[in-house]
Amino acid sequence: MSALSDQLVSITTMVYLLAMIGHAVEYALGNSRAVTAPARELVGAAVGAGGVAVAERDTPVADPAGPAQRTTRRAELAGRIAVGLTALGAVLHLAGLVTRGIAAERMPWGNMYEFVLTVSFIGVAAWLVVLVKVPSLRRLGLFMTLVMVLLVATAELVLYTPIVPLVPALDSYWFVVHVSTIVFASGLFLLGAVPAVAYLMRAGYERGKRSFPYTLAKRLPAAASMERLTFVLHAFAFPIFTFAVLAGAVWAEAAWGRPWGWDPKETWSFISWVIYAGYLHARATPSVKRNLVAWLAILGFATMLMNLFGVNIFFTGLHSYADV
Amino acid sequence: MTAVDDRPAGTPAEAPRRRPNPLLALARNSWRQLTSMRTALVLLFLLAVAAIPGSVLPQRGVNPEDVRDFFTEHPDLAVWLDRVGAFEAFSSVWFSAIYLLLFTSLIGCITPRLVDHVRALRARPPAVPKRLGRLPQHTVAPAPDGGVAAVAEVLRRRRWRVVVRGDEVSAEKGYLKETGNLIFHTSMVLVLLGVALGSWYGWQGNRLLVAGADHVFCNTRQQYAEVKLGPRVGDDLPRFCLQLDEFDARFLPTGQPAFYNAKVTVDEDGDPPRTAEFSVNSPLRLDGANVYLLGHGYAPVIRYTDRFGRSQTSAVPFLSNGDLGLTSEGLAAFPDANVDPATGERKPDLQMAFDGLYLPTAPQEPPFTRSEHPTEENPLLGLVAYRGNLGLDGGIPGSVYQLDQRQVRNGRLTEIGAKELRPGESWTLDDGTTVEFLGSEPYIVLSVRYDPGTTLLLISSVGLVLGLMGSLFVRRRRVFVRLLSADAADPAAGSPTRGSSLIEVGGLPRTEHPGFAEEFAQLVAAMRGDRPADEVDGVPDAREGAK
Ligand code: HEM
């Protein structure tokens, strides 16, 4: 069962990689379309002025748009295939987690390898939900799948650990509650950080910047919609994260006799929590620039990563059971 | 007072009317600054940054040994860091200053909002604006049969707060957002209060407890190896005694622990003794204290028979050196050995001590330095015997885990041999005295704590989460309806099918609400009367009554 899980995870990485390629193809073809786009917009505007604006999309416009439309259709196809592959990857990913859990006879989040795998699965699943609700965000998929490939590959190549059971301190009802909510919130924060980065690039592009990172944002969804997505994901994740941290405190009280002891893991959760609270505040304050708000979201995720990787590697504390 | 000197430049126009006391103005301005959202943001950010040193540097409260190591490794830096409180970062002046400012800001922020909100909760939704067409959502629809009353009914049934003024209906929903937000922020103040309560009135102590009736522990300060009392705790700790009857640990073949359980006899003041069990995740909850099981180990039982034939037994806990196999080290000291029972004369150079290494599961072959498994499958005790002056006269009390190496170095304590013993074996030393290894008793590591703040912490945690959910998931919005008489209605807006009158409806989301257009459309549909079938069934009388 354990070997099956390992194989499933390997295949998952491949499938995400293919999905990423699909998105990249969509992106590339989309870019070639951009050459003719201005002409098309002009035509559209002219038609609009004539009073039949609604028909714009279906009108087979004159010559230059012909091949462009074919590329558009191909780009569309590549994008759809990429999403299909992402979904397939998610199913395999889940299967990999379930088999791991069966092999270990417990929930599959006892060490960093399993933790990263689960968090990234939540990220993918939440991404698919977002896609169903707002299909127009699909072009963000290139970034999403890139992050997934990086995460799952890191888990596989760097963090892999053979199955071991839990130490007694982890064998608790609260452990399941605490860790499952932490994993869930982390997955959402992970997903939320992607549109935050994309927003910064796209917002720069929309302000007319044409230098390197901004040009990547040419075909991304509108900055405002990505900013809203960032907020929705964070607003959803924050209460879950709050609950998770508090559940951890309840568990720590039962296991170690104190709800909060400022051990490095606890300290970094506190830091993340405060930063995300700052993000929500900043977004609710009109005088704070939206770019700064997005940076706070990214900073928040950086502190989550620090907690996951940095603390396990650099510090020792009561939480250091989570071996690398 | 430079800030005061600066002021006249900015406010000459106001000065003639009311001459504000400059100090008061400064205070008011600072207060306004402190309670602004921007300040809250900056303070939040500072708090996050200030928490970092506490995770990077060793902390006395978490790892006192690491702090000591840090001092030996970087003596100069450590002294300097210690001066700014870096090893107790979370109780340092700078950390406290930030969170106290933040909480002052918080209280200054929630108090006026609380007042406003109470007022808003008691107020009625505002009058319908003159021009509904200016609202983000706006439509004109045929009026339902019941007119304004029916519209109000639809809104009420959907739990809107409704007020009817003549031909107009105003409705508002989502007060829970602000309620939740206030609960959330207030809960944060309560969390701080809970923490303060715990640190003032709480206490904690740590110790080891060896199994058996000889090692009963009663709850007094002196019985703890380490004890920390809050400033408001008196000398009287709650009275109870514990005796470890049985300790059960199970391990995996790798040596990883899988399960711990301790059976104890509890003797609480006034109650008859009773037995109880506790384990790692379920502490023993007593009246006035909780007892937590943090670890365990073995206390080898060693009997020494001296030159006068007197035997003494020691069951000193040996401390694990940290490996999975529970290899542990300890010292069995017999300072009262070889005292002549006839004369009572104590010979300071005939004290005995045995430095021991205990392997619960010794390997089959030497070297016997590492235990292979934490269970006692092949126990082996390696002893090094010392005779001489133990150097205990300085007044250091009995429980020593380490030999005073200075005494060895200056020749007052001599090593007289080493031997490995299995349970039941004995070793006769050069002077004819004997030492026997009788077996071992388990011991457990206990933390005993009392924290009166936990209940408040638990309640405020629930408040935090519920308040946050209300604050983030509820949306505040308003809907206004005006009944238009048929001739006032714009004929181009649509053809009224039922009756001759129309309603004009406007909607205003007061907070970001992407789904509002949809909700608005459903609401208007419901007002017109084309509700989903299951709803129509439920409300026939409402229509009848309106007719
Ligand atoms: C102790 C530190 C604080 C934390 C952790 C904190 C956390 C939060 C969080 C997570 C929210 C999001 C809920 C929401 O968006 O409705 C929020 C909202 C809010 N906070 Fe705080 N807060 C703190 C201090 C303050 C202070 C000092 C103020 C006053 C200056 C304040 C004023 C507000 C306001 C007005 C909102 C509502 C924003 C809105 O949604 O329009 N908070 N706070």
Side-chain angles (χ1 to χ4, degrees):
Chain A
M1 207 47 124
S2 164
L4 175 64
S5 166
D6 298 349
Q7 281 161 2
L8 281 167
V9 172
S10 303
I11 301 172
T12 304
T13 322
M14 294 302 188
V15 174
Y16 286 151
L17 194 62
L18 289 176
M20 189 179 101
I21 294 170
H23 279 299
V25 169
E26 178 188 24
Y27 225 74
L29 294 177
N31 275 345
S32 77
R33 194 188 97 171
V35 180
T36 52
R40 205 163 165 241
E41 268 164 27
L42 271 182
V43 175
V47 174
V52 272
V54 199
E56 187 237 333
R57 209 168 280 153
D58 297 327
T59 319
V61 205
D63 230 301
Q69 249 191 357
R70 216 174 310 129
T71 358
T72 313
R73 230 179 293 123
R74 250 185 267 147
E76 178 84 19
L77 186 66
R80 276 169 195 274
I81 290 175
V83 172
L85 284 170
T86 311
L88 175 66
V91 171
L92 293 168
H93 198 153
L94 180 64
L97 282 172
V98 170
T99 46
R100 175 95 182 175
I102 294 172
E105 295 176 2
R106 56 172 167 75
M107 290 299 179
W109 43 55
N111 50 46
M112 270 175 81
Y113 167 71
E114 296 170 4
F115 197 82
V116 173
L117 273 192
T118 316
V119 167
S120 48
F121 171 73
I122 300 291
V124 174
W127 165 239
L128 290 171
V129 171
V130 168
L131 269 184
V132 169
K133 294 209 160 171
V134 196
S136 62
L137 289 169
R138 195 179 66 219
R139 282 170 193 273
L140 207 49
L142 178 58
F143 290 75
M144 264 326 289
T145 45
L146 172 66
V147 171
M148 285 312 146
V149 170
L150 287 179
L151 274 181
V152 181
T154 310
E156 222 188 333
L157 301 176
V158 184
L159 305 172
Y160 183 80
T161 353
I163 290 176
V164 284
L166 296 173
V167 298
L170 303 191
D171 185 14
S172 147
Y173 176 69
W174 280 104
F175 167 71
V176 179
V177 174
H178 168 60
V179 181
S180 61
T181 43
I182 283 275
V183 167
F184 193 65
S186 306
L188 290 173
F189 282 137
L190 160 69
L191 181 59
V194 175
V197 175
Y199 161 78
L200 283 175
M201 287 161 52
R202 177 70 194 184
Y205 185 82
E206 285 178 8
R207 274 196 316 271
K209 295 202 179 161
R210 291 294 179 270
S211 51
F212 162 64
Y214 301 108
T215 44
L216 287 179
K218 205 169 178 180
R219 306 301 317 169
L220 280 179
S225 67
M226 288 195 294
E227 202 278 335
R228 207 171 308 120
L229 176 66
T230 309
F231 173 67
V232 168
L233 289 169
H234 282 85
F236 189 52
F238 188 76
I240 299 173
F241 186 59
T242 307
F243 175 80
V245 173
L246 294 174
V250 173
W251 173 39
E253 195 280 330
W256 300 319
R258 83 288 184 292
W260 197 266
W262 296 111
D263 114 336
K265 275 255 146 164
E266 290 168 345
T267 305
W268 280 93
S269 315
F270 173 78
I271 294 173
S272 302
W273 190 79
V274 168
I275 299 269
Y276 280 124
Y279 166 82
L280 293 175
H281 264 200
R283 194 173 186 279
T285 313
S287 62
V288 177
K289 291 213 172 64
R290 282 291 148 99
N291 269 22
L292 179 64
V293 177
W295 276 114
L296 280 175
I298 295 166
L299 185 64
F301 190 63
T303 61
M304 295 290 284
L305 285 180
M306 176 64 197
N307 205 354
L308 180 55
F309 293 103
V311 172
N312 286 358
I313 294 166
F314 302 130
F315 305 131
T316 54
L318 289 166
H319 279 85
S320 45
Y321 59 81
D323 283 331
V324 182
Chain B
M1 288 294 106
T2 46
V4 180
D5 296 338
D6 288 347
R7 271 197 64 78
T11 51
E14 276 179 28
R17 266 189 287 133
R18 267 185 293 134
R19 291 176 62 83
N21 180 341
L23 268 176
L24 217 78
L26 177 70
R28 200 180 326 117
N29 256 6
S30 319
W31 180 248
R32 208 171 293 148
Q33 275 294 322
L34 182 65
T35 56
S36 78
M37 274 295 251
R38 288 200 138 223
T39 311
L41 255 177
V42 172
L43 288 173
L44 274 172
F45 189 72
L46 277 180
L47 189 67
V49 173
I52 296 178
S55 82
V56 177
L57 293 168
Q59 296 293 299
R60 288 217 172 84
V62 183
N63 279 323
E65 302 85 25
D66 288 1
V67 177
R68 248 170 274 140
D69 292 350
F70 194 91
F71 265 88
T72 43
E73 278 166 39
H74 317 272
D76 299 338
L77 184 64
V79 169
W80 188 84
L81 284 173
D82 201 22
R83 212 166 290 151
V84 294
F87 299 114
E88 274 135 7
F90 299 104
S91 47
S92 67
V93 179
W94 36 275
F95 193 77
S96 315
I98 295 171
Y99 76 73
L100 287 178
L101 271 179
L102 184 59
F103 276 85
T104 313
S105 166
L106 183 59
I107 292 169
C109 189
I110 42 186
T111 318
R113 282 173 61 200
L114 198 65
V115 174
D116 283 352
H117 189 52
V118 170
R119 209 172 287 149
L121 278 178
R122 298 165 79 203
R124 307 196 306 168
V128 176
K130 279 222 168 58
R131 299 201 185 171
L132 282 179
R134 290 211 173 155
L135 297 182
Q137 295 294 328
H138 175 248
T139 187
V140 174
D145 295 349
V148 173
V151 167
E153 181 59 26
V154 165
L155 287 166
R156 275 202 195 98
R157 203 169 307 116
R158 288 164 187 244
R159 316 237 316 278
W160 287 69
R161 181 178 293 211
V162 180
V163 56
V164 181
R165 297 185 180 90
D167 271 354
E168 297 178 341
V169 183
S170 309
E172 182 154 0
K173 196 173 171 174
Y175 292 81
L176 209 56
K177 184 183 187 68
E178 184 68 3
T179 309
N181 193 298
L182 287 170
I183 290 177
F184 170 76
H185 285 88
T186 309
S187 298
M188 221 134 37
V189 180
L190 295 183
V191 167
L192 190 68
L193 216 65
V195 172
L197 217 63
S199 68
W200 287 333
Y201 295 98
W203 55 269
Q204 65 183 76
N206 295 332
R207 63 160 289 144
L208 308 181
L209 178 60
V210 179
D214 299 344
H215 304 281
V216 172
F217 137 71
C218 288
N219 188 39
T220 60
R221 290 175 69 159
Q222 293 72 25
Q223 286 266 335
Y224 289 105
E226 263 180 89
V227 64
K228 231 193 287 180
L229 304 181
R232 307 282 166 90
V233 179
D235 270 341
D236 290 343
L237 300 184
R239 274 193 236 165
F240 61 85
C241 297
L242 288 183
Q243 173 188 327
L244 177 62
D245 298 325
E246 212 181 309
F247 177 71
D248 186 11
R250 266 175 253 146
F251 302 89
L252 304 171
T254 57
Q256 253 206 351
F259 170 83
Y260 294 153
N261 190 52
K263 285 203 180 84
V264 289
T265 304
V266 188
D267 189 350
E268 278 188 279
D269 205 27
D271 294 339
R274 62 188 169 96
T275 56
E277 288 184 37
F278 63 113
S279 55
V280 171
N281 280 310
S282 67
L284 179 62
R285 307 220 182 250
L286 300 176
D287 189 20
N290 295 324
V291 185
Y292 301 87
L293 176 59
L294 297 186
H296 73 109
Y298 297 104
V301 183
I302 297 164
R303 183 160 65 201
Y304 176 69
T305 308
D306 66 13
R307 297 175 183 197
F308 302 96
R310 271 197 343 149
S311 298
Q312 295 174 53
T313 310
S314 141
V316 174
F318 275 33
L319 303 185
S320 155
N321 68 7
D323 64 2
L324 274 179
L326 215 65
T327 311
S328 10
E329 292 168 60
L331 179 76
F334 299 96
D336 299 330
N338 298 316
V339 175
D340 187 339
T343 63
E345 189 194 354
R346 175 189 288 265
K347 295 222 179 76
D349 56 340
L350 287 182
Q351 292 179 326
M352 291 297 300
F354 299 91
D355 208 356
L357 181 71
Y358 184 60
L359 313 181
T361 301
Q364 295 304 319
E365 311 276 319
F368 300 119
T369 53
R370 253 184 79 107
S371 166
E372 292 178 332
H373 199 264
T375 50
E376 291 179 304
E377 271 151 36
N378 182 22
L380 185 79
L381 179 67
L383 289 180
V384 181
Y386 291 89
R387 187 166 51 224
N389 188 331
L390 293 179
L392 297 179
D393 305 333
I396 306 159
S399 85
V400 276
Y401 296 110
Q402 270 184 342
L403 202 64
D404 188 347
Q405 289 298 333
R406 273 173 311 176
Q407 297 294 93
V408 181
R409 254 178 276 127
N410 62 25
R412 291 199 203 124
L413 195 58
T414 19
E415 186 184 324
I416 51 175
K419 192 167 173 63
E420 271 115 26
L421 299 175
R422 298 188 184 273
E425 289 182 351
S426 69
W427 170 28
T428 306
L429 303 179
D430 58 351
D431 59 353
T433 61
T434 54
V435 56
E436 286 174 82
F437 171 34
L438 300 178
S440 79
E441 292 284 1
Y443 73 83
I444 53 180
V445 186
L446 293 182
S447 174
V448 183
R449 286 170 186 253
Y450 169 63
D451 183 349
T454 37
T455 314
L456 185 57
L457 285 179
L458 201 64
I459 294 170
S460 43
S461 301
V462 174
L464 277 184
V465 174
L466 292 184
L468 202 52
M469 279 162 52
S471 176
L472 286 167
F473 300 151
V474 176
R475 283 161 177 132
R476 188 123 175 223
R477 61 261 194 211
R478 286 181 180 156
V479 165
F480 301 102
V481 184
R482 174 177 291 137
L483 193 68
L484 303 173
S485 54
D487 40 307
D490 175 8
S495 55
T497 49
R498 209 183 291 165
S500 55
S501 54
L502 295 173
I503 47 172
E504 185 182 14
V505 193
L508 174 68
R510 299 198 60 205
T511 47
E512 187 165 307
H513 187 352
F516 185 64
E518 220 168 286
E519 186 190 12
F520 183 79
Q522 279 172 7
L523 211 54
V524 173
M527 286 175 194
R528 282 199 337 224
D530 39 332
R531 295 161 213 164
D534 54 329
E535 249 184 75
V536 176
D537 287 344
V539 288
D541 46 355
R543 283 189 170 182
E544 235 95 273
K547 264 177 193 166

